Amino acid sequence: MLTTDRRNWIKRVTATLLIGSAPLPVRAFAKGNEPTKHFTANGFGEGVAVVQHPAGEFHLGKTYVSYQGPLEDPYVAVYDHKSGKWDGPYQAGVSQLGKGPEFADKIDSHGKPTMLIDDAGYIHIFYGGHGGSKTNGLKNTLGGAHAGDNRHAVSKRPLDISEWEDLDNISPFGTYNQAIKMDNGDIYLFYRHGAHRSNWVYQKSTDNGRTFAAPVSFLKRKRRTDIEATDSWYPFLAKGRGDEIICSFDYHVCRDAWPGRGHQGERHNLYYLTFNTTDGSWRNVKGEELPMPLDRETADAKALVFQNDEVWTFNQSATLDKNGLPHIGIAMGFDTGVRHGGPKAMRHFRWTGKQWTGGVNRGLPVARGDLYARDQNKVRFLLAWNDPDGDVRVGKISWWESEDGGATFALGKTLLERRGKAFATSAFIRNAHPDARVIVAESAPRGSKMRPMYLVGDNGPIGGVPEVMGG
């Protein structure tokens, strides 16, 4: 996958930074402004996001977390729920993003880590790509390239985060990694195979991530003939029932140029598919098999949940309720002329068994986050949002709850809040313990690029700054 020169460069940088040799020390906060119960202060850039998921996993009494740290490298820490102690964070790899003159004044944040623990107990991190480097000596036949190479690191020992090694077994042309482990142990890694104008693909492993099959495309980029643009997509994939994987996605109009505005994150519509991992078929919610990779015309005709060219979207997450019916969370708003269109409030859609309903703002805020549906009526979002208090914003991580199938939502318990701050949140941690549902990055203190990072559950942020970190 990598040229010899680039592999040697990574080894040299890795040796210089002493990956896994010791927990990274962190800078203490200014006295009088100490946040409570953060587990590290070396989050960097966005830190975590819903799209790169899962970022953590609860396993055998411990919650393992990953996030983007200094120089956009991946970091991992683990919290022991019984002892109340932390281990780490340890650096788990070296990203090509965040290095050199091109990133001196720019934080990319597309290479945030995704985490998975295989059936043998080894911890896997997928990280570091924003479409793949144009200088890696390889040709991307499924799209374009931009920066960074997608990487895969694995712990050297089961359930031990202190030492890591890179495995050269996935395509470097990737970003937005999403990893799913099936009941039989098979691992599916989904990602966009390159820059904006690239197919979305998956790679499958049947040997605990030691090897992966070649990329298989499922969403197709295609040049439009009616306007100067190329079709692009943003999906969220999650394990469904049995051998099924579910997928919600929105459509990105990747225009050649937008005078006066530069590249815009113009996204529209909402779609839904299921992937049968036993026979490899993709179907719509009615069970009709669809041709792969899916193009825009077929998606509009067969997989549509919501369509409105005036509404701009930002896809979030999808889940199934106890009856196996899908629920989707997506942020929606109108173009106000600012970059990426303007603020977008969370919306909820659900399949009744006969039709899609929802999509109307019934009390949810401008926010990002994940959702849980116990049944058709009881739906909960855990959202990162800003609650204004006069001229000062108050960043909050809160439950928003519906008892009527999403017809209305009400603010529930707030798990974390900080006056004058804002939060970015991960999707739900895999197999999450109620005390540790999401990883949260707080906005950086003034004059710094480093973010406090929290592990947040039903009783608020848990643990404190690990003693080994000196924070």
Side-chain angles (χ1 to χ4, degrees), residues 39-190:
F39 68 85
T40 184
N42 77 325
F44 187 76
E46 199 174 10
V48 290
V50 172
V51 65
Q52 282 104 338
H53 74 94
E57 180 166 346
F58 175 74
H59 184 75
L60 298 179
K62 298 180 179 181
T63 295
Y64 297 78
V65 300
S66 66
Y67 63 95
Q68 180 175 272
L71 298 180
E72 304 193 37
D73 294 329
Y75 284 77
V76 177
V78 58
Y79 177 76
D80 188 317
H81 289 260
K82 184 176 181 179
S83 69
K85 294 182 178 180
W86 284 90
D87 183 23
Y90 294 88
Q91 187 178 344
V94 176
S95 173
Q96 293 182 26
L97 300 174
K99 315 295 190 298
E102 65 177 311
F103 292 103
D105 298 312
K106 177 185 177 183
I107 301 175
D108 186 286
S109 279
H110 283 76
K112 295 182 295 295
T114 296
M115 172 186 284
L116 183 144
I117 300 176
D118 68 30
D119 278 358
Y122 289 88
I123 307 162
H124 298 256
I125 299 292
F126 304 94
Y127 71 95
H130 188 179
S133 172
K134 298 177 181 179
T135 62
N136 63 19
L138 301 174
K139 182 179 180 180
N140 186 2
T141 60
L142 299 176
H146 179 67
D149 280 354
N150 212 27
R151 304 297 299 148
H152 173 203
V154 63
S155 62
K156 288 189 175 182
R157 293 171 294 277
L159 304 181
D160 182 346
I161 66 171
S162 64
E163 291 188 284
W164 298 79
E165 60 181 338
D166 267 0
L167 300 182
D168 188 14
N169 61 4
I170 63 172
S171 171
F173 297 107
T175 190
Y176 300 127
N177 293 306
Q178 303 177 32
I180 298 173
K181 187 176 74 170
M182 306 306 290
D183 294 339
N184 65 357
D186 289 352
I187 295 172
Y188 287 82
L189 178 66
F190 296 88

Side-chain angles (χ1 to χ4, degrees), residues 211-448:
T211 62
F212 279 88
V216 178
S217 296
F218 66 98
L219 291 178
K220 183 177 182 179
R221 98 282 195 200
K222 189 173 71 173
R223 187 68 183 172
R224 291 184 60 156
T225 58
D226 55 337
I227 59 175
E228 294 182 347
T230 299
D231 297 333
S232 185
W233 311 95
Y234 286 92
F236 180 98
L237 296 112
K239 188 178 182 305
R241 285 184 160 184
D243 296 332
E244 180 184 82
I245 291 173
I246 63 173
C247 175
S248 66
F249 57 105
D250 58 358
Y251 169 69
H252 171 42
V253 188
C254 190
R255 298 181 184 270
D256 293 355
W258 197 318
R261 294 181 69 176
H263 178 78
Q264 294 290 301
E266 181 187 0
R267 309 184 196 179
H268 301 291
N269 306 344
L270 178 62
Y271 307 84
Y272 181 82
L273 292 174
T274 63
F275 174 37
N276 185 321
T277 62
T278 298
D279 63 17
S281 66
W282 291 79
R283 300 177 184 273
N284 63 14
V285 74
K286 296 180 180 179
E288 299 171 318
E289 185 171 356
L290 302 182
M292 290 287 124
L294 195 71
D295 61 21
R296 178 173 55 88
E297 291 80 5
T298 306
D300 285 346
K302 294 292 186 178
L304 200 63
V305 176
F306 167 87
Q307 184 173 33
N308 187 323
D309 290 340
E310 295 182 358
V311 174
W312 286 35
T313 59
F314 195 91
N315 190 38
Q316 291 294 283
S317 62
T319 190
L320 300 179
D321 62 29
K322 68 178 183 181
N323 297 313
L325 299 174
H327 296 246
I328 303 172
I330 184 168
M332 299 168 57
F334 292 97
D335 179 20
T336 62
V338 301
R339 185 162 175 77
H340 300 314
K344 300 173 182 64
M346 188 64 71
R347 303 286 190 271
H348 168 257
F349 289 85
R350 68 181 177 92
W351 176 252
T352 66
K354 295 182 179 180
Q355 63 181 356
W356 290 104
T357 64
V360 179
N361 187 354
R362 299 298 188 187
L364 291 170
V366 173
R368 297 183 184 181
D370 208 343
L371 81 160
Y372 167 76
R374 194 177 80 182
D375 55 38
Q376 283 208 72
N377 293 318
K378 296 184 183 298
V379 183
R380 308 172 76 197
F381 282 92
L382 187 55
L383 300 179
W385 63 294
N386 293 329
D387 189 5
D389 182 8
D391 294 332
V392 178
R393 67 182 178 184
V394 180
K396 293 186 176 182
I397 303 294
S398 306
W399 286 109
W400 290 79
E401 301 173 341
S402 175
E403 299 286 335
D404 53 16
T408 59
F409 281 87
L411 175 62
K413 184 178 180 180
T414 292
L415 309 182
L416 174 65
E417 65 177 275
R418 288 272 285 156
R419 183 176 175 82
K421 299 292 184 179
F423 294 119
T425 182
S426 71
F428 287 137
I429 288 169
R430 185 173 186 267
N431 300 326
H433 188 287
D435 288 340
R437 294 190 184 272
V438 292
I439 308 158
V440 174
E442 181 179 292
S443 53
R446 183 174 298 178
S448 173

